[in-house]
Amino acid sequence: MSEIDVINFKLVVTGPFAAGKTTFIGAVSEIPVVTTETGTSEGREVKDHTTVSMDFGKVSVADESQLIELYLFGTPGQSRFDFMWDILSKGMLGYVLLVDATRPETWTDAAAIKAKFDELGDVPLVVGVNRGTESDVDKVVAALRLDEAVPVLACEATDKESVKQVLITLLINVVEQLEATVKGSI
Amino acid sequence: MENESFYDFGGPEPEPARPSIGRLSTVVANPTATGVEAVIEECAALSRSLDGILALIVATSDGMLIHSTWSEVEGMRAAAISAAALGLGQRIASDFGQGEFHDSVVSTGDRVIGIYAVGDRHVLGVVAAAEDVTLGLLHLSARRTAQAIGRVLSDS
C-alpha cells in the first residue's frame, strides 16, 4: 500500500440553475455528499430545491502505481451566488461545465458562467451535456461558441458510469496541463 | 442525507498525522510533515486548555484537510465546509463590515461552532459544548491557537 502515490485533485462542477450539478456529484461520490440545498422561491416549476452554498463529494481513480482522489466542489447555479464561484474555485485544477440539453434557454447563462470561470483560473474544462444526445452536443458547441479543443460529452448526471466518463476526460486534460507546466518550468 | 447523524462527537482524540496532502492545490502550499505535527500539537493544547471542546479541524482555504479530530472522511467533508464558511465570512466581512474576517460563530442549542481565520490561507474550526464553554473564553483561546497555527503554517 505504501508504494502507491496518492494524488489529490480539486475539481469544480458548475453550470446553470437545475443543470444537474448536485445529482452529478451524488452519482459518483464515495462519501456522503455535503449538500446545502434549500427550497426554491423562484423557478419552482423547474425544481423545488436548489444549492445555495456548495456541494462536496469525493471519488477515487486508481491504477497500479497511483491513487488519484478527485475532490468535487459543486457550485450554486444562479448568478446571485457568484461570490461562491470565487470561493469554490480557489485552487481548482479543472472544472466541469454542466448544461441541460433539454433547456436551451439556460445556455446563455452557461456561456456567462464559463466566461467567469475562465477568468478565475487558467485550467482545463469539460462540458457535460446532461440529458443530451450527440446532436445536442453540436448545438451546445455552437451556442456556447466553444473552442474545438474543449471536450464536450453527452452525459446523464444520474448515471455513475456516464459521470465517470466526464470526470476521466477532465482528469486526462488536467494531467496533460500539469505535465506541460512542469516541462515548461524546467 | 442529514449531516447531523454523520459526525461523531466522541470528543477529540488526536489522530495520527495525515500523510502528505499531495499536489492538490495551486493556491495553498502544503505543510510539511513537521508542520502538520505542530498543528496537531497546537490543537491538542487548545483542547487541554479549555473544557467542552468536542472537535477541531484545520483546513486550507481551498478546502483541503490538514488535521481534524474526526475520522478522515468526516474531516474531509468538514474541511470543504470550513473553507466555504471562511470564504463566505471573508465576503461578509469585506462587503458588510469593510474589514478583515476574524471569525464567525454558529450556535445550536447544544453546541457552539467557531470558524477562525488562520492567516489568509487556512481556517480553524472548533466545535464546543455550549454548556461547558463561554463564548468569550472560546474566542480568546481559539484566536490564540489560530495565530499559533498561522505561524507554523507560514513557516512550513
Side-chain angles (χ1 to χ4, degrees):
Chain A
M1 271 309 275
S2 60
E3 299 298 312
I4 292 180
D5 283 342
V6 180
I7 304 173
N8 302 330
F9 283 172
K10 175 173 177 172
L11 305 176
V12 169
V13 179
T14 190
F17 174 67
K21 302 177 288 296
T22 304
T23 307
F24 182 97
I25 293 174
V28 287
S29 182
E30 296 157 354
I31 65 170
V33 179
V34 175
T35 58
T36 56
E37 293 199 296
T38 190
T40 38
S41 56
E42 55 184 42
R44 292 188 71 162
E45 64 288 354
V46 182
K47 60 171 188 170
D48 55 11
H49 279 78
T50 189
T51 299
V52 289
S53 295
M54 62 176 287
D55 298 317
F56 173 71
K58 194 203 87 170
V59 59
S60 311
V61 184
D63 64 18
E64 318 74 49
S65 61
Q66 57 185 19
L67 177 69
I68 297 180
E69 298 198 324
L70 306 179
Y71 291 77
L72 306 176
F73 287 73
T75 72
Q78 300 93 330
S79 60
R80 65 176 178 278
F81 292 119
D82 60 359
F83 59 88
M84 286 308 300
W85 304 349
D86 300 349
I87 293 167
L88 297 173
S89 66
K90 254 191 164 185
M92 68 173 174
L93 293 175
Y95 73 96
V96 175
L97 178 67
L98 204 59
V99 298
D100 184 343
T102 64
R103 293 173 53 241
E105 69 275 16
T106 63
W107 295 355
T108 41
D109 285 349
I113 292 171
K114 177 182 177 295
K116 173 80 179 181
F117 268 80
D118 289 344
E119 274 172 34
L120 291 172
D122 181 19
V123 296
L125 86 142
V126 168
V127 178
V129 182
N130 190 19
R131 308 180 187 104
T133 60
E134 283 312 311
S135 66
D136 296 316
V137 166
D138 294 339
K139 286 179 209 157
V140 169
V141 169
L144 271 65
R145 296 195 190 139
L146 293 170
D147 189 281
E148 59 184 34
V150 174
V152 186
L153 278 78
C155 68
E156 286 298 331
T158 51
D159 179 56
K160 187 176 176 179
E161 289 310 312
S162 171
V163 170
K164 266 193 182 167
Q165 270 314 309
V166 175
L167 291 174
I168 287 169
T169 306
L170 179 58
L171 183 59
I172 290 167
N173 282 270
V174 168
V175 170
E176 275 173 9
Q177 173 156 335
L178 286 175
E179 281 171 354
T181 315
V182 170
K183 275 181 196 144
S185 66
I186 292 171
Chain B
M1 207 164 318
E2 281 304 316
N3 296 347
E4 215 176 329
S5 57
F6 188 78
Y7 286 85
D8 172 35
F9 285 97
E13 279 170 29
E15 258 188 21
R18 266 172 62 76
S20 101
I21 296 181
R23 58 178 159 131
L24 181 113
S25 163
T26 52
V27 173
V28 178
N30 298 320
T32 60
T34 21
V36 174
E37 300 261 328
V39 168
I40 294 171
E41 184 40 49
E42 290 296 343
C43 288
L46 176 60
S47 33
R48 280 195 303 268
S49 72
L50 209 57
D51 285 341
I53 305 258
L54 299 173
L56 291 156
I57 172 155
V58 178
T60 64
S61 59
D62 62 349
M64 304 319 302
L65 178 62
I66 291 178
H67 167 61
S68 96
T69 54
W70 282 299
S71 74
E72 187 172 346
V73 168
E74 291 166 330
M76 226 175 245
R77 291 167 43 111
I81 297 167
S82 303
L86 172 74
L88 190 54
Q90 286 170 332
R91 176 48 67 108
I92 293 170
S94 65
D95 284 16
F96 299 178
Q98 296 174 353
E100 217 171 85
F101 173 83
H102 291 172
D103 46 65
S104 64
V105 173
V106 174
S107 306
T108 68
D110 301 334
R111 288 179 188 135
V112 183
I113 303 104
I115 301 289
Y116 301 88
V118 175
D120 55 2
R121 294 187 154 199
H122 298 89
V123 57
L124 166 69
V126 182
V127 184
E131 58 177 4
D132 295 330
V133 80
T134 63
L135 198 53
L137 209 54
L138 175 64
H139 274 340
L140 194 69
S141 308
R143 283 174 188 154
R144 203 179 291 149
T145 300
Q147 279 173 4
I149 292 173
R151 279 192 295 274
V152 167
L153 291 176
S154 65
D155 292 345
S156 72

